[in-house]
Amino acid sequence: MIIYLLHFNTAINHKQHYIGITYNLEKRLKEHATGGMYSSHLCEYAFFHGITFQLGNSWKGDPDLEKKLKKEGHTERHCNICIKNKTGLVPPEAG
């Protein structure tokens, strides 16, 4: 499975990131981008308010790792976009 982190270009209620898990990342990103019925509530909100996102990172993992990352918080630590914006450096590829 693939765990992925989305970086919203505009924060939504102080949330800049979304973490999810899927078997097919390309298909899942399309679902989020269109705000369809299989999208998360946060991505659906973003779609209907014109807020775009980028893939901030992805890893091979399982639902336990996804839950750990969500519970841990501080998603900006794992977001390649935030890391690049803060340091000016492009982080090494994960997973």
Side-chain angles (χ1 to χ4, degrees), residues 42-91:
L42 193 60
C43 292
E44 184 179 3
Y45 179 93
F47 174 77
F48 286 108
H49 289 85
I51 298 170
T52 58
F53 65 81
Q54 299 172 62
L55 181 63
N57 210 338
S58 63
W59 309 264
K60 290 182 181 178
D62 59 26
D64 290 336
L65 178 58
E66 178 203 19
K67 288 176 189 172
K68 178 183 174 191
L69 290 169
K70 286 181 175 183
K71 185 176 181 182
E72 175 183 279
H74 302 288
T75 51
E76 69 278 359
R77 295 182 196 166
H78 305 291
C79 178
N80 289 339
I81 296 164
C82 289
I83 293 168
K84 183 179 177 186
N85 288 344
K86 185 175 182 179
T87 66
L89 303 173
V90 177

Side-chain angles (χ1 to χ4, degrees), residues 8-52:
F8 294 104
N9 295 324
T10 301
I12 302 168
N13 297 326
H14 306 289
K15 293 180 181 157
Q16 191 85 44
H17 303 100
Y18 172 81
I19 293 178
I21 191 166
T22 187
Y23 284 107
N24 186 331
L25 183 58
E26 185 177 333
K27 179 181 176 187
R28 191 69 178 125
L29 292 177
K30 286 179 184 176
E31 290 170 350
H32 285 313
T34 59
M37 66 186 245
Y38 296 112
S39 184
S40 70
H41 293 295
L42 193 60
C43 292
E44 184 179 3
Y45 179 93
F47 174 77
F48 286 108
H49 289 85
I51 298 170
T52 58

